[in-house]
DNA sequence: CTATATATTTAGATATAATTAAAATAAATC
DNA sequence: GATTTATTTTAATTATATCTAAATATATAG
């Protein structure tokens, strides 16, 4: 399977395709390509059997699609562990390398690597590695904007992309921080968040905050 | 650069493109593709600057081409070491995995991997790993058929391909064995070889023996 | 509940990569 | 010099991934 197709698959998974129908527009935006290209590719993914697609509505992953996506995520995160723990890579650099390696990794290799690394539970960005844990984490994690006002929540993970890493760092938001959503100014697209862990108030783009995943805590 | 192009580059290197002009036919045969495809690709490789090509004569690597080829070989062998020593792969299985991984390996990654592995000298098939040693080994190694009759020679390495591995194993020819070429029956395409190391007489295809590299010993 | 805005799809192309078969041509050999 | 062998040219084919512009469907706002 081509890396390109696998990239579409992963993005649909990350945008919630396991439980929601993902509109083409979101995919087009995330990949910076034109909408027709997405439509075209959706037909391809249907023919592979990875997604179930309803025109004008969007796509949802099939069981096979979910499995494939999880495999890719598993491989990606395994490489991140290897790169950081054994090769001394910094957190910022691992993503791009893993992005390429994951597509060149056979299932056998992934399995041997998993054991070599000592069956790690999490990647350096907090993402679960075992298939069960990936499922579990994705079940309890919800996108930040879906947390109600005033509810305490813990940052579990975020979509793994260089720009986002920098953005979150600049706003002093880190993995496992406890935060409370205070208010949302729709016209400014700003989400007011109180970071209980470091005592700071931060304002982040609501749009961007879709890529932070949290779980409610009490 | 695409994996396909890189594969052509490596094959030209393996067929001696560093010092000889490699005819298209040999490339076509090794890759099991039609001659026009090779001609076409040679033009592409010229435009990349990897080879210098004379129509009807064949291609020779440029300085850049040699460097690129050595990088790929370096990466390939590094992965083989990693797969065998750390992941417990068997000798027979590493080649195919390494073949895919090498194309997904950045120079940075190769460098870090090299140090992680403790700057190994040789891959599990006897191929040199450091750039200097690759050069050196390729200078002293000659294809078996070029050794004169009755001359003692040592098997240094062979072109790394599943079928060949099995073929050589079946003939009890192993890395570092000392052999003497006795005779060559052209009509049968058989090379009569005495394996001094295990005391056996073997007959192998002359054509195939081009892929065993040896150095003269006295 | 229509008009407008937005999202999606179709249609028609383009680019590039990798490949082929058949015919033409060059080089090597006998 | 004639024949065999190797190589190239020509003319296509297949597959992947992408686009723009126009048409169409869906959602939203009076």
């Amino acid at each position: 399977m081509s890396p390109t197709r696998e990239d579409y698959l992963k993005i649909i998974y990350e945008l919630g395709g396991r439980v929601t129908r993902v509109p083409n527009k979101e995919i087009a935006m995330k990949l910076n390509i034109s909408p027709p290209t997405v439509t075209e590719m959706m037909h391809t993914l249907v023919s592979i059997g990875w997604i179930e697609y309803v025109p004008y509505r969007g796509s949802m992953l099939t069981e096979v699609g979910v499995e494939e996506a999880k495999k890719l995520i598993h491989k990606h995160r395994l490489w991140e562990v290897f790169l950081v723990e054994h090769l001394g890579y910094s957190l910022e650099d691992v993503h791009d390398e893993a992005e390429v390696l994951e597509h060149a990794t056979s299932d056998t290799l992934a399995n041997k690597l998993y054991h070599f690394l000592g069956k790690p539970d999490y990647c350096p960005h907090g993402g679960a590695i075992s298939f069960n844990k990936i499922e579990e984490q994705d079940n309890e994690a919800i996108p930040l904007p879906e947390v109600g006002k005033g509810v305490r929540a813990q940052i579990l993970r975020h979509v793994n992309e260089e720009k986002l890493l920098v953005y979150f760092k600049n706003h002093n938001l880190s993995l496992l921080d406890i935060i409370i959503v205070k208010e949302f100014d729709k016209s400014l697209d700003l989400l007011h968040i109180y970071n209980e862990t470091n005592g700071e108030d931060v304002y982040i783009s609501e749009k961007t905050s879709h890529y932070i995943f949290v779980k409610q805590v009490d």
Side-chain angles (χ1 to χ4, degrees), chain A:
Chain A
M1 278 308 133
S2 89
T4 312
R5 288 170 187 187
E6 295 184 341
D7 286 339
Y8 277 89
L9 182 71
K10 264 182 38 176
I11 274 158
I12 295 171
Y13 183 97
E14 283 171 13
L15 293 173
R18 208 169 36 95
V19 287
T20 334
R21 209 169 273 293
V22 178
N24 286 5
K25 201 201 167 192
E26 288 196 32
I27 302 170
M29 272 173 19
K30 270 227 83 183
L31 288 173
N32 239 302
I33 52 176
S34 74
T37 310
V38 179
T39 309
E40 188 70 29
M41 182 57 80
M42 293 308 106
H43 293 316
T44 307
L45 298 192
V46 165
S47 77
I48 301 172
W50 284 352
I51 66 168
E52 181 252 311
Y53 183 60
V54 181
Y56 295 101
R57 281 288 137 74
S59 38
M60 220 167 135
L61 297 172
T62 61
E63 218 171 297
V64 174
V66 172
E67 280 319 296
E68 282 304 316
K70 287 204 290 191
K71 268 190 200 172
L72 284 167
I73 291 164
H74 175 74
K75 288 169 185 175
H76 182 102
R77 292 176 181 171
L78 278 177
W79 282 119
E80 291 195 335
V81 172
F82 176 68
L83 296 174
V84 168
E85 290 191 3
H86 293 276
L87 301 194
Y89 267 83
S90 74
L91 263 192
E92 287 80 31
D93 297 338
V94 286
H95 178 70
D96 290 349
E97 293 281 10
E99 197 65 25
V100 179
L101 286 168
E102 68 184 28
H103 302 294
T105 308
S106 71
D107 291 354
T108 307
L109 173 52
N111 195 257
K112 291 189 188 257
L113 190 59
Y114 180 56
H115 288 276
F116 166 73
L117 295 171
K119 304 188 184 181
D121 286 326
Y122 300 102
C123 83
H125 305 100
I129 289 181
S130 78
F131 291 77
N132 286 341
K133 282 273 165 60
I134 289 174
E135 185 88 44
E136 211 174 276
Q137 196 177 58
D138 286 331
N139 280 333
E140 64 178 7
I142 53 173
L144 178 50
E146 286 174 22
V147 180
K149 239 185 264 185
V151 177
R152 289 179 76 228
Q154 182 174 36
I155 300 178
L156 283 184
R157 64 180 184 87
H158 34 71
V159 171
N160 189 356
E161 200 173 302
E162 174 65 20
K163 292 169 209 145
L164 288 173
L165 286 175
V166 175
Y167 187 79
F168 296 144
K169 205 179 226 174
N170 287 342
H171 288 281
N172 286 311
L173 291 173
S174 307
L175 239 45
L176 305 182
D177 281 0
I178 305 285
I179 59 173
I180 299 170
V181 175
K182 308 290 265 192
E183 219 163 342
F184 170 41
D185 184 321
K186 200 172 176 183
S187 69
L188 296 172
D189 187 48
L190 283 184
L191 210 57
H192 177 187
I193 288 167
Y194 172 64
N195 186 336
E196 203 176 282
T197 306
N198 60 24
E200 286 185 42
D201 278 286
V202 293
Y203 296 87
I204 65 168
S205 150
E206 196 267 352
K207 223 158 205 164
T208 310
S209 76
H210 275 94
Y211 303 118
I212 307 182
F213 295 86
V214 301
K215 75 168 177 192
Q216 288 197 21
V217 290
D218 12 48

